[in-house]
Amino acid sequence: NKEEKTSFSMIDGHYKVTGNWYRTLYVEGDSIEMKGNSVGDVPIKIKFGDFGEADPKICETTGQSFYNIQLSYIVHEKEFKELGVITKDGVKIVAKNLMGIGEFEWMTEEEAAAWEDDGDPIEAPPTPYKIQPENQGKLLWLTGAPGLGKSTSAQLLARNHGYVYYEGDCFGSIKNPYIPVDVQDPSLAQVNQRPLKGEGVEKRKESLEKLMKEFSGFMKGDYDNGPFEEYYGLMCEDIQNERLRIGGDWAIAAAILSRDWRDFIRSKLGPDLMFVVLDMELEDQVERIRIRHQGDENAVKMMKDMHGLCDPAREDEENVIGVKVTTDMSPEDVAKKILDLLE
């Protein structure tokens, strides 16, 4: 009955979060915060009730056919909502988010402390690639709007052609950037990467915070370029250090929307850098995003807002190639076209 559906509560303490962009949920009475992310502690509002039919994957995992919990929060002036299923005892939640399906599981204080301390060293994250610093090979940077296959193309170059795949989104989320070459969707798989620990984490967080404060201005065409150059400067420094440490051919996947920012990055990484700018018709891109994010319209709206802000490859731009992605091209076709154009 309806009363039975709404008689749920969470337990005070820490919840371990997996499959989401934050790592921990902390509950103390009516106060609930997300922790373990690159934007700092964020308050979360919780509602219990009947929120409609649950995602089939959540039904399969929980045995429940309806959502009974809603988590909502605001990040960078945007409201996000996650619908899920909480168990009767409040120990576990399975919820749908922008990145897929995430799970929350209550932890003891000892388990929470171990979870907080877990991570990889920021100065030398573990990598599956051969360490060959004497071999400083090609340096590709795959860019373009969301949903065009930047991460998938970089992953295929790593899997089939020996490149080192560096996921740029992991720089901002402060996670190990070396996503496994065999995961199904590398862009979404970044949520499963281990956090980075050590000197430099706070500096990166502060730089990201300044960038995100300016990002809404960028979307409107009125912004201060300084925070963007500071952030991309730090990313370039990390790429330079890691490339010198690991060696080999490199494929970086990260959206660099502005031609000016590409020029700035060139000034930092030098003449060896080649930008690969992916492009696609808007309606085809919308469908890709809708499929990847399981129909989440927030993700679709964010992509649409960014589409018109992406500067294409220009004829007067040095060391850049443009790749038009069409719906009849497989991921392997896109990777092959990139390699062909590099010849």
Side-chain angles (χ1 to χ4, degrees):
N1 60 41
K2 186 73 173 181
E3 182 179 352
E4 189 172 293
K5 288 182 179 181
T6 57
S7 58
F8 298 94
S9 63
M10 298 183 71
I11 306 170
D12 279 4
H14 296 84
Y15 284 77
K16 175 181 179 179
V17 183
T18 55
N20 209 328
W21 65 278
Y22 52 95
R23 281 174 53 87
T24 307
L25 206 64
Y26 180 67
V27 179
E28 185 177 8
D30 294 332
S31 174
I32 302 174
E33 286 186 326
M34 69 165 72
K35 296 176 177 290
N37 61 75
S38 56
V39 299
D41 298 345
V42 177
I44 292 186
K45 294 180 181 178
I46 299 290
K47 289 183 180 179
F48 300 102
D50 184 346
F51 297 98
E53 186 176 343
D55 182 279
K57 292 182 180 178
I58 293 181
C59 293
E60 184 178 340
T61 302
T62 64
Q64 297 289 329
S65 59
F66 62 92
Y67 292 120
N68 57 19
I69 186 171
Q70 175 185 276
L71 303 88
S72 61
Y73 50 89
I74 295 175
V75 175
H76 303 309
E77 302 178 357
K78 290 183 180 292
E79 184 178 28
F80 298 88
K81 293 181 180 180
E82 300 176 10
L83 296 176
V85 171
I86 184 171
T87 57
K88 188 79 171 178
D89 56 9
V91 168
K92 188 172 183 178
I93 303 168
V94 183
K96 189 173 181 180
N97 60 70
L98 274 175
M99 309 302 285
I101 305 295
E103 295 191 3
F104 305 69
E105 189 164 3
W106 186 84
M107 300 181 284
T108 65
E109 288 299 315
E110 293 77 13
E111 290 169 335
W115 181 243
E116 171 66 23
D117 291 340
D118 181 56
D120 290 334
I122 192 170
E123 70 276 5
T127 176
Y129 302 106
K130 178 182 178 181
I131 304 298
Q132 46 179 338
E134 71 285 355
N135 176 22
Q136 294 292 309
K138 298 182 181 72
L139 179 58
L140 307 183
W141 192 306
L142 281 64
T143 184
L148 299 187
K150 300 181 295 295
S151 297
T152 299
S153 297
Q155 184 194 48
L156 286 171
L157 291 175
R159 184 193 303 165
N160 300 328
H161 302 281
Y163 278 71
V164 174
Y165 160 35
Y166 178 103
E167 177 52 60
D169 284 351
C170 287
F171 181 82
S173 59
I174 318 180
K175 292 186 174 185
N176 188 318
Y178 304 113
I179 293 176
V181 299
D182 57 352
V183 295
Q184 185 173 1
D185 191 325
S187 181
L188 299 183
Q190 63 181 279
V191 299
N192 300 319
Q193 293 297 100
R194 285 162 61 85
L196 298 178
K197 302 289 185 177
E199 188 176 347
V201 167
E202 290 306 315
K203 185 176 182 180
R204 198 182 294 188
K205 282 185 178 180
E206 290 169 5
S207 180
L208 177 66
E209 183 178 356
K210 286 187 277 188
L211 179 146
M212 293 311 299
K213 284 181 178 178
E214 285 297 322
F215 198 79
S216 60
F218 168 75
M219 300 289 280
K220 300 170 186 174
D222 181 18
Y223 65 98
D224 177 6
N225 206 38
F228 292 90
E229 291 191 351
E230 177 185 309
Y231 178 81
Y232 290 129
L234 289 175
M235 184 188 289
C236 289
E237 183 180 324
D238 188 61
I239 289 167
Q240 285 175 317
N241 292 339
E242 285 296 283
R243 188 173 174 231
L244 286 172
R245 178 175 75 93
I246 297 169
D249 294 330
W250 272 56
I252 302 155
I256 306 299
L257 305 181
S258 161
R259 158 74 186 273
D260 290 342
W261 297 342
R262 293 201 294 266
D263 289 341
F264 174 78
I265 289 169
R266 280 193 194 90
S267 75
K268 296 296 182 180
L269 294 182
D272 291 341
L273 175 64
M274 175 68 75
F275 272 107
V276 179
V277 182
L278 305 181
D279 189 21
M280 191 180 215
E281 295 298 330
L282 176 59
E283 57 268 26
D284 297 331
Q285 191 181 345
V286 166
E287 187 58 26
R288 276 196 174 199
I289 290 290
R290 188 169 280 124
I291 291 171
R292 187 172 80 182
H293 292 277
Q294 303 175 53
D296 192 303
E297 290 303 316
N298 274 329
V300 172
K301 184 181 184 304
M302 289 170 63
M303 183 280 296
K304 282 184 175 179
D305 290 344
M306 293 175 67
H307 179 85
L309 299 172
C310 296
D311 286 344
R314 304 291 186 184
E315 289 185 3
D316 64 341
E317 193 173 353
E318 294 183 359
N319 287 8
V320 64
I321 58 174
V323 176
K324 188 74 171 182
V325 181
T326 57
T327 55
D328 61 341
M329 295 172 71
S330 69
E332 289 76 14
D333 291 336
V334 177
K336 182 179 185 303
K337 187 169 183 178
I338 291 170
L339 290 174
D340 289 344
L341 289 170
L342 288 172
E343 293 298 325

